[in-house]
Amino acid sequence: MYASPEQLSAASKASVDAFVGLASTQFAAFERLTALSFNAGKSAFEDSIGLTRSLMGAKDVQEVVNLNAAAAQPSIDKALAYSRGVYEVSTQTQGEVTKLVEAQAAEMNKNMVSLLDKFAKNAPAGSDVAVAAVKSALAAANTAYDSLSKVAKQANEIAEANFTAAANAANGKRKAA
């Protein structure tokens, strides 16, 4: 019934591997977001320099108005592209983290059931009821987790549909103008 040093070592290694996987996922997401933000900032800076140079060369007020109007739409498109990029990074990262958490939860459940089975074999007479109750509670917890996971996935799908609809509406307004 006691854990052997090999079992403890394996459990420790699995925990460290899970932590490293989660940390790697988060650092990769941070790297992608940083690159996305840097590129958006650089592009905005270059666009503003170009617009300033164009405005400095404008001959009359109408040309200034036309230059400002012409610069607005690319800025909106770039802001939408940036938002889309941030959204893609966050949904991809969420998916990766969810996979890691689900794998850990599955492993933990497997280990718990194995431990309960070992306990049941060595348990005193009459403890079957307690073991069955713990297994039932574990099954109920798994069912609740599955339900919450499905709700989270549905919420994510709704958010993605709303984001897509908003982006399409913004593009539709741009094309109509």
Side-chain angles (χ1 to χ4, degrees):
M1 178 75 183
Y2 295 105
S4 68
E6 292 83 18
Q7 291 171 323
L8 291 175
S9 177
S12 295
K13 183 183 180 309
S15 295
V16 169
D17 288 345
F19 177 75
V20 168
L22 184 61
S24 296
T25 299
Q26 294 301 313
F27 278 121
F30 179 72
E31 181 180 24
R32 291 190 306 262
L33 286 173
T34 302
L36 188 65
S37 295
F38 176 79
N39 290 335
K42 181 180 177 186
S43 177
F45 178 72
E46 290 170 352
D47 290 349
S48 68
I49 288 174
L51 178 61
T52 302
R53 286 186 177 146
S54 297
L55 290 173
M56 297 300 283
K59 308 243 187 296
D60 58 18
V61 173
Q62 186 60 41
E63 189 176 352
V64 169
V65 170
N66 291 341
L67 286 170
N68 280 327
Q73 191 55 51
S75 297
I76 292 170
D77 291 341
K78 288 179 182 182
L80 283 172
Y82 175 78
S83 297
R84 198 173 300 116
V86 169
Y87 179 77
E88 288 171 0
V89 168
S90 56
T91 54
Q92 180 183 9
T93 302
Q94 178 187 5
E96 291 173 12
V97 168
T98 299
K99 286 179 189 175
L100 288 170
V101 169
E102 286 176 352
Q104 284 299 109
E107 184 66 24
M108 186 177 77
N109 286 334
K110 185 178 89 173
N111 290 341
M112 183 65 90
V113 169
S114 173
L115 182 65
L116 286 172
D117 288 341
K118 287 179 184 178
F119 176 76
K121 289 179 186 176
N122 299 322
S127 61
D128 295 344
V129 174
V131 171
V134 172
K135 282 186 177 182
S136 177
L138 185 61
N142 287 336
T143 302
Y145 175 78
D146 289 342
S147 296
L148 288 174
S149 179
K150 287 177 185 176
V151 167
K153 286 178 184 177
Q154 288 173 345
N156 190 31
E157 290 170 2
I158 290 169
E160 187 171 342
N162 288 340
F163 181 82
T164 301
N168 290 340
N171 284 336
K173 286 182 182 179
R174 182 193 78 207
K175 290 178 183 175

